[in-house]
Amino acid sequence: MTMSDPVVEDVVTTVSHSAPEIRRGLVGRRDAVDEENPSGETQVEADIWADELLADRLSSIDGVSQYASEEREAIIDCGRDAASTDGYTVAVDPLDGSSNLTSNNAMGTIIGVYDAPLPARGENLVAAAYVLYGPITTMLLATEDTVSEYELTDGNHRRIREDITLPDDPVVYGFGGRVPDWTDEFTEYARTIETELKRRYGGAMIGDVNQVLTYGGIFGYPGLESRPEGKLRLQFEGNPVGYIVEQAGGRSSNGEQSLLTVDPSDDIHERTPVFVGNESLIDRLEMQLS
């Protein structure tokens, strides 16, 4: 896992070495706690534990100036000078899909490394990765050069695929949100897609996106009638996953434009509709929603 920038390499290596420990630590931490994250979602013990572990390790890396997490309200300034904007910033979703702990289904960890203070545009990402806690613990890593997949075991990582691109012929789709809460425009699009592709939706974004990257297709969590801004967070989920898919030759979108070109608000926990997948499917989506 050699990269041109030693700070980025330290961040990615720290996540890859921490992932097996996080997986082991899920045991006994499945219960909900009497707290909510800044987005108003119920936390489980594992959410808080994984966030504290990653915050401690990533914020101690020389060259990382900020750490932000879906599980905490404020950004941690971790440079020697708290007012400094030098260095890379790291945005993390410590346990994507942690509600799946109850049913013991797949979940993941998402990380974005930005070369700009947070909140930042996705175009400022220099690397993004996600760990999938499936039958095998794997990490998909995207840099400016390539997209690669690694198998993770205690203290070790082994590259099993490199130069990953989306298959040309899409096979799967997965759409989130309650169907009665979908907009008419998105419902019409979804009804067309479900006649063409196989449905794969497991309640953890990373598991569903990994299906798309493996087989080709589209994942989406749209804006809803009750929540036009959608559910997923731009800094922690939309931008990093959008970056990974675009580096693999696909497209990302908020329904109008690439997620990577969206100007963020001052709210680190800003939500956005998220769509990622094969270019042709995203193009059709944007035409339908426009």
Side-chain angles (χ1 to χ4, degrees), residues 96-100 106-107 200-208 219 231:
D96 172 69
S98 59
S99 60
N100 275 354
M107 65 198 70
R200 293 290 186 271
Y201 188 78
M205 180 189 190
I206 291 313
D208 301 325
F219 165 83
K231 176 185 178 183

Side-chain angles (χ1 to χ4, degrees), residues 176-188 221-231 273 289:
R178 294 185 64 249
V179 175
D181 210 10
W182 286 353
T183 65
D184 290 343
E185 293 80 8
F186 182 72
T187 298
E188 185 175 346
Y221 202 109
L224 305 175
E225 293 286 0
S226 62
R227 183 187 282 173
E229 70 276 16
K231 176 185 178 183
L289 298 186

Side-chain angles (χ1 to χ4, degrees), residues 93 95-101 105-110 131-133 200-211 219 221 231-232 237:
D93 182 353
L95 274 185
D96 172 69
S98 59
S99 60
N100 275 354
L101 268 172
N105 285 334
M107 65 198 70
T109 294
I110 307 173
V131 175
L132 176 61
Y133 306 110
R200 293 290 186 271
Y201 188 78
M205 180 189 190
I206 291 313
D208 301 325
V209 169
N210 202 62
Q211 294 259 16
F219 165 83
Y221 202 109
K231 176 185 178 183
L232 302 174
E237 296 157 316

Side-chain angles (χ1 to χ4, degrees), residues 159-220:
R159 186 164 61 187
I160 56 175
R161 289 198 294 162
E162 58 184 320
D163 298 326
I164 294 172
T165 58
L166 268 74
D168 292 333
D169 297 321
V171 174
V172 300
Y173 78 97
F175 297 141
R178 294 185 64 249
V179 175
D181 210 10
W182 286 353
T183 65
D184 290 343
E185 293 80 8
F186 182 72
T187 298
E188 185 175 346
Y189 176 78
R191 293 294 171 256
T192 301
I193 293 299
E194 69 186 10
T195 66
E196 303 172 10
L197 306 179
K198 298 177 182 179
R199 187 168 188 261
R200 293 290 186 271
Y201 188 78
M205 180 189 190
I206 291 313
D208 301 325
V209 169
N210 202 62
Q211 294 259 16
V212 169
L213 281 164
T214 302
Y215 302 112
I218 183 171
F219 165 83

Side-chain angles (χ1 to χ4, degrees), residues 2-241:
T2 301
M3 285 168 278
S4 59
D5 192 291
V7 177
V8 177
E9 183 169 359
D10 283 351
V11 170
V12 174
T13 300
T14 297
V15 173
S16 70
H17 287 178
S18 300
E21 183 177 348
I22 291 174
R23 180 172 189 140
R24 291 194 303 271
L26 299 177
V27 178
R29 293 186 171 95
R30 299 168 70 176
D31 292 337
V33 297
D34 191 22
E35 296 181 43
E36 294 182 340
N37 68 17
S39 298
E41 299 167 340
T42 300
Q43 293 176 307
V44 297
E45 292 178 49
D47 283 319
I48 299 171
W49 176 78
D51 174 48
E52 291 176 348
L53 183 149
L54 290 171
D56 178 65
R57 294 179 181 178
L58 293 173
S59 64
S60 66
I61 295 173
D62 285 340
V64 172
S65 61
Q66 291 181 318
Y67 172 92
S69 164
E70 187 177 306
E71 303 303 329
R72 60 180 66 217
E73 184 70 42
I75 297 169
I76 298 175
D77 289 312
C78 40
R80 291 187 178 88
D81 177 1
S84 173
T85 58
D86 293 335
Y88 293 108
T89 60
V90 180
V92 176
D93 182 353
L95 274 185
D96 172 69
S98 59
S99 60
N100 275 354
L101 268 172
T102 301
S103 56
N104 193 30
N105 285 334
M107 65 198 70
T109 294
I110 307 173
I111 181 167
V113 184
Y114 296 83
D115 189 13
L118 298 171
R121 287 167 64 107
E123 290 175 329
N124 293 122
L125 283 162
V126 296
Y130 65 74
V131 175
L132 176 61
Y133 306 110
I136 301 167
T137 303
T138 59
M139 179 172 69
L140 206 78
L141 169 65
T143 65
E144 296 170 326
D145 300 320
T146 190
V147 180
S148 301
E149 184 179 20
Y150 297 83
E151 286 183 350
L152 307 182
T153 56
D154 287 347
N156 297 300
H157 52 265
R158 181 173 69 90
R159 186 164 61 187
I160 56 175
R161 289 198 294 162
E162 58 184 320
D163 298 326
I164 294 172
T165 58
L166 268 74
D168 292 333
D169 297 321
V171 174
V172 300
Y173 78 97
F175 297 141
R178 294 185 64 249
V179 175
D181 210 10
W182 286 353
T183 65
D184 290 343
E185 293 80 8
F186 182 72
T187 298
E188 185 175 346
Y189 176 78
R191 293 294 171 256
T192 301
I193 293 299
E194 69 186 10
T195 66
E196 303 172 10
L197 306 179
K198 298 177 182 179
R199 187 168 188 261
R200 293 290 186 271
Y201 188 78
M205 180 189 190
I206 291 313
D208 301 325
V209 169
N210 202 62
Q211 294 259 16
V212 169
L213 281 164
T214 302
Y215 302 112
I218 183 171
F219 165 83
Y221 202 109
L224 305 175
E225 293 286 0
S226 62
R227 183 187 282 173
E229 70 276 16
K231 176 185 178 183
L232 302 174
R233 269 65 50 159
L234 180 65
Q235 299 296 303
F236 306 111
E237 296 157 316
N239 279 345
V241 170

